[in-house]
Amino acid sequence: MESGAQVRSSTFLRSSASLWILLFFTGGIFLPIGALLELILKEPAKTVGRLALFDPQILSVVTFTLKQALLSTFVSVLLGLPLGWICARSASPRMQSLLQILLALPYGIPTVVVAMTVTAWLGNSGLLASLGWGYSLKAVILAHVLLNAPWIALGICQAKVQIPRAQIEASETLGANFWQRFRWIEWPHLQWSLFSSSVQVFSLCVMSFALVLILGGGPPVETLETEIYSRIRLGSLDLRGAAACAFWQLLLTLIPWVTLHWFSRRAKILEKATPCFDPRRRTFSWVPALLASMFLLPYVTLYRFAALQLWSTSEFFNEISGPLAVSLKLAGAVAVVTLLTALSALISRPSLKGADLLFTLPAGISILVLGLGFWLAYGRWLDPFEGSFTAMLALQVTTTFPLAYRSLWALSQGTQTPALEAARTLGATPVQAFMTVEWPRWRGPILRVAAVAAGVSLGEVAAVSLFYSENLVPIPLLISRWMGQYRFQEAQALAVFLLIACTALTAAVATSGTFLRRQDRLS
């Protein structure tokens, strides 16, 4: 039985966590989005402000955004589905681990590095310049496929290896051919993974900013993300037009988020299966590894001797020292605040109705839309033209929070309640009981979540593009600037650093045991 001091300590901990979550969502999401909607809807119907929603130029951008997201998703599925199916045929658990690491690595590569790589291949002096794809919609779609096809393949691979081998063997005994086995045995297990991955890819392509900004080459390759940015940062300031674009962007990103949340219960049922490996299927063991590595090979072009030589010059170090310090400081702060927010969400979750829906909401909001809302809601304190480290931090934490929460939530379902109660009975405080009983189990996942948050922050472009100043320029923005100034050697040298850092963080997470799926087994 808990003493009065223990009850007060538990109550204080839960109240503090609930208060932080309330402040986080109210100040970080609801007030900014409310300010955005107020700007759009408060004017009389006859004013330009209301008509901006249906401005032909903005509607054409909406159409193009939808077109490029659908095309990018379609091609990613077209390549990712067969690749994931082939990778799942490997019988060796060790080979499966290798394949899933190879498929996870591209997803952790910063978009500005992907843009640098595609430019190296398709630019005017690129290896594939003869295709004429440079600075076009095709270049944007290619970049999206490089990032997202392996992600879809990873989901398909994980779903397929979870199919009970007994079902496959029974279908073979009954004389089922390949297509019958796929239709009646494999497809029911794969369809929800394919659906959820495709919805996420579509949403990410709608919210794509750096790839479209760098590879699109300007109009007509203009999406809602770049249109919002150009109406704030480029040319004359047009808040009302930017808000109209943000409204359409919210619709395009929240609809997939609501759809995914609606079907999430069905997906969770299939995620809990135990992986099964068929020892008879050892053919083509190395072919999947070669196919999966094809999405990493294009980045080899960044390792050019002339560019890497710049690391030995003091001028180069002096030029990047400031941006490097800003990026590392921001990444560290994002990792810490993301962890604190995710842990607070776990502590406060039992007392909040609709917590799961609320805690995944940030995944359906574009960071540029939220950034515009920040400016409108806190305009007297935040000005994009003066720069704001606090705004960058808040926006990036909002981006990384849903992944951190989902990862740690799966782990929290395996809490060792009897041992915790025994520790509390012996007089331990909630913190002491947790550190003694649970911390050994939580230490690894917490470090991995911190690594993911830091990696996302190191490569994030949208928030830093909106709230930078000349004294607050992170590494991704510096790379983008150098590309615009045709300083490609310097941009490549810095992109290599960013590529190694973010890939190392992603590999550390992947090699720890399939970050999300293995934690789900604890629930």
Side-chain angles (χ1 to χ4, degrees), residues 231-288:
R231 288 173 184 263
I232 298 176
R233 274 288 187 176
L234 306 178
S236 57
L237 181 64
D238 181 11
L239 283 178
R240 211 168 292 282
C245 293
F247 178 83
W248 288 110
Q249 181 77 330
L250 273 175
L251 289 182
L252 291 181
T253 55
L254 284 177
I255 289 175
W257 170 77
V258 171
T259 304
L260 189 60
H261 184 80
W262 182 267
F263 289 102
S264 61
R265 290 185 179 180
R266 178 65 181 271
K268 288 179 182 178
I269 295 174
L270 297 177
E271 284 177 359
K272 292 183 181 294
T274 301
C276 299
F277 302 97
D278 190 346
R280 299 171 300 169
R281 295 180 178 175
R282 297 185 179 275
T283 56
F284 310 111
S285 294
W286 289 99
V287 171

Side-chain angles (χ1 to χ4, degrees), residues 49-73:
R50 182 67 60 86
L51 296 179
L53 279 174
F54 305 101
D55 182 279
Q57 181 182 355
I58 292 178
L59 291 179
S60 68
V61 175
V62 174
T63 303
F64 185 85
T65 301
L66 189 60
K67 173 185 174 182
Q68 72 85 16
L70 289 172
L71 286 174
S72 298
T73 304

Side-chain angles (χ1 to χ4, degrees), residues 321-339:
S321 59
L324 182 60
V326 171
S327 289
L328 293 178
K329 179 182 176 183
L330 185 60
V334 168
V336 172
V337 178
T338 298
L339 271 177

